[in-house]
Amino acid sequence: MSLAMTPGDLVLPEGFLSMVERVAERDMEKDIASSRRAMRRRDVARKIFLQVHRTIGLFAGAVFVLVGLSGAILAFRENIDEWLNAPIMRVDAPAQASYRSLDEILAAAIAAMPPDGKLERLTMPRHPGSAAAIIYMVETDDLDTDVFEMFVDPYTAKVKGLRLYLHNERIFSQPLVPIIMAFHWTLLLGANNAYILGSVAILLFISILIGIYLWRPLNGNWRLGLKIKWRASAERLVYDIHRSVGIYCAALLLVTLFTGVAMIFKPATRSVTTLFSPVRQDPDFGKSTLIAGHAPIGVGEAVASADKIFPDGKLHWILLPSAPTGVYVVGKQSSDEPNRTKTYRNVGVDQYSGQVLYVQDRDAFTTGEKFLEWLFPLHTGEAFGAVGRSVVLMVGLAPLTLYVTGFLRWRHKRRARKRPTNLHVI
């Protein structure tokens, strides 16, 4: 006898199928309701983020435009400064000639400066066609200090010219490029008020992160967020430009804002960095020991002492002693340093004996110190040469594009809300 059962032999209880259908319907309704709630939450979140993004952009964005444009100019600040002051900052480089000795160059500057001038530093020429720069200070009758910058032809040891770099704390007594620099990081409000710009930059950093969230296409097709429909309506074109420029420049803008904020709030940045890696205090290059009847050594001899520590690299600057206990600080810039404006390979030299008192060597930096070293060259783009500076130039123009398109987009939306939605035909 066979016990096999066919599908036709299976008999379900009465009403079982209808019960299964009702359960399935309820589950489907729950899924739909849950999906709708998620969509409503997403829509509410987008509206809130959009309002925050728009508010920050309309107000803080105006400052961002000016700071960005000034940063674009400052990407090539040395070239611009030399171009504006070519008669005193540029020299004719002979075909086959070498620099005169450092002592001759400095002696020419000392002979041209007033007796009460105090030498501060000698910066070597940036390239064969530029002059050496000597900074000195003069105390005024009202107990203020005037800072002067003198330029000397390194091939002839003759003074090319002189300019007032700063009169007291009056920003507009400076040359144009330093004025733009002061605006870029303090809005001309003074160094003590740089935190104002730093706070604005933090808001803009948040706004860009929100912009990345809002950029994400709802249908998941991210390629649409990277395209600009040039033949679309004016409203759509403005929207596409704002969205595309924003996403293409987002990473670079975030790096620029982050490094700028980190430098403005430098003490806080150092404190946070020490939580992850040791960071030593700024170097103390020591004090010279006065030797009775012994005249100070020359700048050339001080550099010779530093060359024994760093035989390689380019002589970048010499910080000059301005007091009996002051020291020479000789900076030898290596080719792999990211920072081209200054150097972190410095040697403190006793101005009487020529003895090396302290050595700052970036090769011995901790991870935290290297992080701090990279902030400025990343911000300016100089860490990557002309290419990096060119990128910073383009990034500096991005806030203007974003602000104009964002403002036009905001105005289009306001006009759309004011249009009548219902038209009655009489």
Side-chain angles (χ1 to χ4, degrees):
M1 185 172 74
S2 175
L3 298 177
M5 182 178 292
T6 64
D9 298 329
L10 181 62
V11 179
L12 297 174
E14 186 177 351
F16 179 78
L17 290 177
S18 60
M19 181 183 68
V20 171
E21 291 175 353
R22 288 196 299 272
V23 171
E25 289 177 357
R26 283 198 299 268
D27 291 343
M28 184 178 297
E29 290 174 355
K30 289 180 181 179
D31 292 341
I32 294 174
S34 176
S35 177
R36 287 176 177 173
R37 286 195 297 270
M39 292 178 63
R40 284 197 296 268
R41 287 195 296 267
R42 184 190 64 188
D43 291 342
V44 171
R46 287 183 68 88
K47 288 180 180 178
I48 293 174
F49 284 139
L50 180 59
Q51 185 60 44
V52 173
H53 181 70
R54 182 185 295 127
T55 302
I56 294 176
L58 286 175
F59 296 98
V63 177
F64 197 24
V65 170
L66 298 176
V67 173
L69 291 176
S70 62
I73 294 172
L74 294 174
F76 293 93
R77 60 192 180 280
E78 297 96 344
N79 304 72
I80 294 173
D81 200 18
E82 281 191 9
W83 176 70
L84 292 174
N85 301 277
I88 63 174
M89 296 183 68
R90 287 183 176 172
V91 300
D92 295 324
Q96 294 180 346
S98 58
Y99 291 165
R100 303 290 286 271
S101 71
L102 292 172
D103 291 294
E104 289 180 275
I105 293 173
L106 189 60
I110 293 174
M113 62 184 264
D116 56 347
K118 292 184 179 180
L119 292 168
E120 198 272 333
R121 77 178 59 191
L122 186 160
T123 303
M124 297 302 293
R126 292 192 314 114
H127 56 81
S130 62
I134 293 89
I135 297 284
Y136 71 89
M137 297 173 288
V138 177
E139 291 186 5
T140 62
D141 294 335
D142 52 359
L143 301 180
D144 287 328
T145 301
D146 287 344
V147 181
F148 292 90
E149 189 172 23
M150 184 182 297
F151 298 95
V152 179
D153 187 327
Y155 301 101
T156 63
K158 293 182 179 180
V159 175
K160 292 282 294 182
L162 174 73
R163 67 178 179 179
L164 177 64
Y165 195 86
L166 180 62
H167 174 63
N168 191 12
E169 295 182 355
R170 300 174 187 175
I171 297 296
F172 291 101
S173 67
Q174 298 182 103
L176 179 60
V177 169
I179 291 175
I180 297 175
M181 291 178 65
F183 174 83
H184 183 72
W185 77 281
T186 70
L187 298 178
L188 299 183
L189 299 176
N192 293 332
N193 295 315
Y195 71 92
I196 296 175
L197 181 58
S199 302
V200 172
I202 292 174
L203 292 176
L204 291 166
F205 189 92
I206 295 172
S207 180
I208 292 176
L209 292 177
I210 293 174
I212 295 174
Y213 169 80
L214 296 173
W215 166 85
R216 186 183 58 181
L218 296 178
N219 61 3
N221 188 357
W222 57 268
R223 291 182 179 85
L224 294 177
L226 302 175
K227 296 180 179 179
I228 299 177
K229 296 182 178 179
W230 296 104
R231 296 183 179 180
S233 64
E235 289 83 358
R236 180 53 189 261
L237 181 60
V238 166
Y239 175 69
D240 283 353
I241 292 175
H242 183 82
R243 188 170 61 166
S244 298
V245 171
I247 197 63
Y248 281 120
C249 297
L252 294 172
L253 288 172
L254 288 173
V255 170
T256 301
L257 287 168
F258 173 79
T259 53
V261 169
M263 288 187 292
I264 288 177
F265 298 106
K266 186 176 179 180
T269 303
R270 290 177 66 97
S271 298
V272 173
T273 304
T274 56
L275 299 177
F276 305 95
S277 176
V279 176
R280 288 165 286 192
Q281 296 296 321
D282 291 335
D284 179 1
F285 290 98
K287 295 181 179 180
S288 295
T289 302
L290 183 62
I291 302 176
H294 195 288
I297 63 174
V299 64
E301 191 174 343
V303 171
S305 296
D307 285 341
K308 295 177 182 178
I309 305 298
F310 296 124
D312 62 325
K314 174 187 175 183
L315 179 61
H316 181 71
W317 61 22
I318 306 101
L319 307 186
L320 304 166
S322 59
T325 58
V327 299
Y328 287 105
V329 178
V330 181
K332 296 290 294 295
Q333 192 175 62
S334 63
S335 58
D336 61 344
E337 282 193 68
N339 199 321
R340 310 313 297 172
T341 302
K342 60 187 300 184
T343 178
Y344 287 94
R345 298 205 318 165
N346 297 291
V347 181
V349 180
D350 188 297
Q351 66 168 305
Y352 300 104
S353 65
Q355 178 184 356
V356 172
L357 303 177
Y358 185 89
V359 176
Q360 180 189 36
D361 186 358
R362 61 178 300 273
D363 289 339
F365 276 5
T366 64
T367 302
E369 290 167 341
K370 289 181 179 178
F371 165 75
L372 296 176
E373 177 194 15
W374 271 84
L375 290 177
F376 182 80
L378 270 181
H379 188 78
T380 61
E382 63 185 52
F384 306 103
V387 173
R389 293 175 186 267
S390 299
V391 170
V392 169
L393 171 63
M394 299 305 298
V395 172
L397 300 176
L400 176 61
T401 303
L402 293 173
Y403 188 80
V404 171
T405 54
F407 178 81
L408 292 175
R409 177 67 178 168
W410 169 76
R411 193 173 65 173
H412 291 159
K413 299 287 285 186
R414 282 178 61 87
R415 287 179 176 177
R417 285 195 295 267
K418 291 180 179 179
R419 292 171 187 163
T421 57
N422 296 317
L423 297 179
H424 301 280
V425 179
I426 300 177

